[in-house]
Amino acid sequence: MTSAIEKIQSNRSSSSDTVSTVFRDNVKEIEEIEGYDEGKNNSTEYNYKNDPLNPVNWPAKKKMSGLIVVSMNSFMGYFSSAVYLPATHDIMNYFQTDLTTINSTIALFLLTNALAPLVWAPLSERIGRRWIYIIAMAIYTVCTIICGISTKLSVFYAFRVLQGIFACAGQAVGGGSVSDIFEPHERGKAMGIYILGTILGPAVAPITGGYIDQYLGWRWIFYIKTIMGGLLTVLSYIFIKETLYIPNAKQLPPPKNMKERLQRLKFNPFGSLEMLLYPDILMVCIPTSVSFGWFYFLVTILPSTFGPIYGFNTGTIGLCYLAGGIGNTAGSIVAGAISDKLYAKAVAKNNGVAQTEFRLRPMYIGLPLIILGSTMYGWFLQSGIHWMGPLASYTITTFGIMFTITVASAYMVDSNHTKAASVVSVSNFTRNICGMIFSLTAVHIRGALNDGWS
């Protein structure tokens, strides 16, 4: 275990020698977007603990209220992607199309969730984070009501894509907000709360969607999301304060003209993807992204497995997703609770010298649980044993997925503090790409391999 972490550290240091000059320039651009130049104004050393305006020094209640609303913004993105999963057959029948076409709207939603944060993250580092949350959620609300009243598949498709673009702002900017207001020894717990919203969304959404569809019809799924979006816009305006803070001594002078103002807003949205050239970021993104994709594979095929095998109706199928919600919630809470403690213990054993790679050690708990739970889930379904068996396995799998993602996110924010928003958007990009691929191919893979081998 120790040698693996040391290898990541050595790869991180050696990668700077192998990255080309062009890539170095682009990474430098990311640092300019997301931080300020620590080398400037060295004549007056800045100590954030002595600055009452720094968000790190805000009262705990103010920090926590903002974090909860940020987590709720993150929740809405993935909640929207999965809430109508139990209603896919009803939507398919209404628009007179096939199941693959309806599932592709989920895949497109995840694709926009992957691409849009590449714009939201660097933009938030230039104009601030607060208004990104507010404006994005307000436009999301408008797109949602149009989806709900649409009578043509093309309109439904188009506004689902727009819905995905604005729903993911919380996921893109949230990591930066956590980095802004919490110190390193607090970030494990804070990331657990923030990531909980991200992963809890697709776990509890089908429960809600199943009963709404059964008793009110599929359109009410979007009507209720519209109400939630409007309420969250108001809560964001009230509780989320601006956390992007640059001390006066570090600030650039005001722009002289509009041309200079626009020049400062200029950025390359794909520049942050080159952070994947760093082996440590890539090696952390790969297992978390595949795990997240696997989660979307499970939630996509769940209606078509528990319905025919166990004869469950739409509402009961929605309740099956509760097993995943329990696993996700427990995984987030446990990871957040032990991450900071194990990190502090590792630092103490290392004579007080902190190394961000200590954050990765709990991943060795989560990854085996994903493999164990997934294997049990598939073969329990294949053998047709009592439905409690597959659902218990589903809980184990989602616990491992959530645990791993929470630990990995805390590590990436800690190891890239000045580029927190961009590194989270890169992780979000790889996760959603895998989620899109797995959800789009889930029906065909299961049809070809059956439950056990798939």
Side-chain angles (χ1 to χ4, degrees):
M1 182 186 299
T2 304
S3 61
I5 293 175
E6 290 174 350
K7 185 175 180 181
I8 290 176
Q9 291 175 288
S10 63
N11 284 339
R12 176 72 181 266
S13 62
S14 64
S15 66
S16 60
D17 298 328
T18 60
V19 178
S20 68
T21 304
V22 175
F23 291 153
R24 290 194 198 101
D25 291 340
N26 283 325
V27 172
K28 182 179 179 182
E29 179 187 349
I30 295 171
E31 293 174 346
E32 290 172 352
I33 289 173
E34 301 224 346
Y36 44 80
D37 189 348
E38 298 287 355
K40 292 181 180 179
N41 301 300
N42 284 334
S43 58
T44 304
E45 185 176 353
Y46 174 74
N47 187 346
Y48 70 90
K49 293 184 178 180
N50 297 328
D51 186 353
L53 298 178
N54 194 308
V56 174
N57 299 316
W58 285 353
K61 186 179 293 186
K62 183 177 181 179
K63 288 183 180 182
M64 191 55 61
S65 61
L67 176 62
I68 290 172
V69 179
V70 167
S71 181
M72 291 168 66
N73 274 268
S74 179
F75 169 87
M76 282 301 294
Y78 287 119
F79 179 86
S80 295
S81 70
V83 69
Y84 70 87
L85 281 173
T88 50
H89 281 86
D90 290 339
I91 299 173
M92 175 188 71
N93 292 333
Y94 178 84
F95 288 114
Q96 297 182 347
T97 184
D98 56 76
L99 188 59
T100 301
T101 301
I102 296 301
N103 282 341
S104 69
T105 65
I106 302 170
L108 280 174
F109 190 97
L110 291 173
L111 179 61
T112 57
N113 270 231
L115 295 175
L118 300 178
V119 174
W120 291 127
L123 184 62
S124 75
E125 299 292 349
R126 294 181 179 276
I127 68 172
R129 310 198 197 280
R130 181 172 183 258
W131 284 103
I132 296 289
Y133 292 116
I134 296 169
I135 294 174
M137 187 53 60
I139 299 176
Y140 159 85
T141 304
V142 174
C143 295
T144 302
I145 189 61
I146 294 176
C147 284
I149 63 176
S150 60
T151 56
K152 295 182 179 180
L153 182 60
S154 58
V155 174
F156 183 81
Y157 245 91
F159 281 91
R160 274 292 288 174
V161 171
L162 291 174
Q163 194 185 42
I165 291 172
F166 294 100
C168 68
Q171 304 155 26
V173 184
S177 296
V178 170
S179 178
D180 290 341
I181 62 179
F182 291 97
E183 296 190 68
H185 67 276
E186 303 172 315
R187 286 186 196 137
K189 181 180 179 181
M191 286 302 297
I193 295 172
Y194 162 64
I195 294 293
L196 177 62
T198 302
I199 302 298
L200 194 58
V204 303
I207 304 171
T208 308
Y211 280 103
I212 293 173
D213 178 56
Q214 185 173 348
Y215 293 107
L216 298 175
W218 68 267
R219 291 189 184 277
W220 270 96
I221 293 174
F222 292 92
Y223 299 157
I224 290 175
K225 284 199 300 177
T226 301
I227 297 170
M228 293 170 64
L231 179 61
L232 193 50
T233 301
V234 175
L235 291 176
S236 299
Y237 183 83
I238 295 172
F239 291 105
I240 296 181
K241 308 302 179 183
E242 185 54 65
T243 62
L244 183 65
Y245 178 74
I246 300 177
N248 289 330
K250 306 287 185 178
Q251 291 181 359
L252 295 172
K256 297 177 181 179
N257 49 50
M258 182 59 68
K259 182 178 179 181
E260 185 177 343
R261 185 183 298 274
L262 293 175
Q263 186 66 26
R264 291 186 185 181
L265 289 175
K266 182 181 177 182
F267 61 87
N268 177 9
F270 297 102
S272 57
L273 289 181
E274 287 165 4
M275 297 179 75
L276 291 172
L277 293 170
Y278 287 120
D280 62 333
I281 296 177
L282 180 62
M283 290 173 66
V284 172
C285 283
I286 289 174
T288 56
S289 299
V290 173
S291 299
F292 187 78
W294 177 242
F295 174 75
Y296 260 88
F297 179 95
L298 295 178
V299 300
T300 301
I301 65 170
L302 193 147
S304 58
T305 53
F306 280 82
I309 294 175
Y310 299 108
F312 289 172
N313 60 30
T314 303
T316 307
I317 288 173
L319 278 178
C320 291
Y321 287 98
L322 183 61
I326 293 171
N328 285 331
T329 304
S332 173
I333 293 172
V334 173
I338 72 172
S339 177
D340 290 336
K341 292 181 180 179
L342 292 178
Y343 178 73
K345 186 176 180 180
V347 171
K349 284 186 177 181
N350 199 37
N351 299 319
V353 179
Q355 294 181 356
T356 53
E357 283 72 19
F358 292 156
R359 288 280 188 192
L360 291 174
R361 292 181 176 178
M363 286 183 70
Y364 293 106
I365 300 173
L367 292 174
L369 290 176
I370 298 173
I371 298 171
L372 174 65
S374 299
T375 303
M376 292 168 57
Y377 180 80
W379 287 105
F380 284 171
L381 284 174
Q382 183 78 17
S383 60
I385 70 169
H386 191 271
W387 53 266
M388 282 296 294
L391 289 184
S393 306
Y394 182 42
T395 303
I396 294 171
T397 304
T398 53
F399 178 94
I401 291 171
M402 184 62 170
F403 187 97
T404 302
I405 291 176
T406 301
V407 170
S409 298
Y411 164 74
M412 286 191 286
V413 168
D414 263 13
S415 60
N416 299 273
H417 175 60
T418 61
K419 305 181 288 292
S422 279
V423 76
V424 170
S425 71
V426 168
S427 174
N428 184 75
F429 173 82
T430 56
R431 286 203 312 264
N432 280 284
I433 289 296
C434 284
M436 178 196 71
I437 294 171
F438 277 64
S439 63
L440 195 59
T441 58
V443 174
H444 299 291
I445 291 175
R446 179 177 178 263
L449 299 177
N450 294 321
D451 293 308
W453 288 109
S454 63

